[in-house]
Amino acid sequence: MKKLVPLIFLLSTTSAMAVDSPITGQVQPKCSVWTETSGVYGHPLPYKLTTTPADGGVKASIRIDVAQADYYKAKFTHPNSFSSSPTLNDSVSWTGSTKVGQVSVAAMSAYEAAKVTYNNVTEFNLTLAGSTWFTVESTAQYGSTKSLPAGNYTAIIKAECIAK
């Protein structure tokens, strides 16, 4: 007679487990943007607002500090509209420019000759570490023969430091 051997199945009480374990990090800025001097519009003519000092205005001065050379570009957008103003019933014609001012490294003055300008935007390739002060000018002319309405006018300069 054959002997019967019982079959025993063991079921594991453990099961496979998986965990998503994040790796985190924080990137510190190597390029920073600072407003050194806010622009102020002078009002030399009834239809004109300008940051030109001879017309009572103040040009904006914006500093960009770069800790790591040749990884960033500066992009300035001078105003082409008011962010706040009295109601205007005619068109406003805008002009503006951005220029290299003071520099912490003499070779940074070459940024001016190498800048790229389009529409109301000026870009600079920031090839050196250090600080560069940029001067931004803005002029708004209202209609052809109309006076600007009395009130407060504000326009925004957008200054960016962009990773290449």
Side-chain angles (χ1 to χ4, degrees):
M1 186 153 140
K2 277 185 165 179
K3 194 172 189 185
L4 293 175
V5 177
L7 292 176
I8 301 173
F9 293 99
L10 294 176
L11 296 177
S12 173
T13 58
T14 61
S15 60
M17 303 264 313
V19 170
D20 290 335
S21 183
I23 298 173
T24 63
Q26 184 175 6
V27 176
Q28 296 297 322
K30 302 288 186 206
C31 186
S32 55
V33 181
W34 305 92
T35 298
E36 293 282 318
T37 304
S38 295
V40 177
Y41 283 119
H43 187 216
L45 298 168
Y47 59 86
K48 184 177 182 180
L49 293 174
T50 180
T51 59
T52 303
D55 291 332
V58 176
K59 296 177 186 177
S61 177
I62 298 171
R63 185 184 86 223
I64 295 187
D65 299 330
V66 176
Q68 190 71 43
D70 211 24
Y71 282 87
Y72 299 94
K73 70 178 179 179
K75 181 178 178 183
F76 293 88
T77 306
H78 62 77
N80 62 6
S81 65
F82 290 113
S83 58
S84 68
S85 71
T87 301
L88 301 174
N89 297 320
D90 205 344
S91 63
V92 178
S93 174
W94 292 87
T95 58
S97 65
T98 303
K99 297 177 182 171
V100 173
Q102 182 181 345
V103 294
S104 66
V105 176
M108 290 174 167
S109 60
Y111 293 170
E112 181 64 26
K115 70 184 179 183
V116 175
T117 303
Y118 55 94
N119 302 325
N120 63 323
V121 175
T122 305
E123 293 184 0
F124 298 87
N125 189 13
L126 303 175
T127 58
L128 300 169
S131 298
T132 307
W133 286 259
F134 296 91
T135 302
V136 182
E137 298 180 42
S138 175
T139 298
Q141 293 192 80
Y142 183 57
S144 58
T145 59
K146 290 187 177 182
S147 290
L148 286 158
N152 294 319
Y153 291 78
T154 303
I156 304 296
I157 299 165
K158 186 175 182 180
E160 303 172 88
C161 190
I162 301 169
K164 292 183 192 178

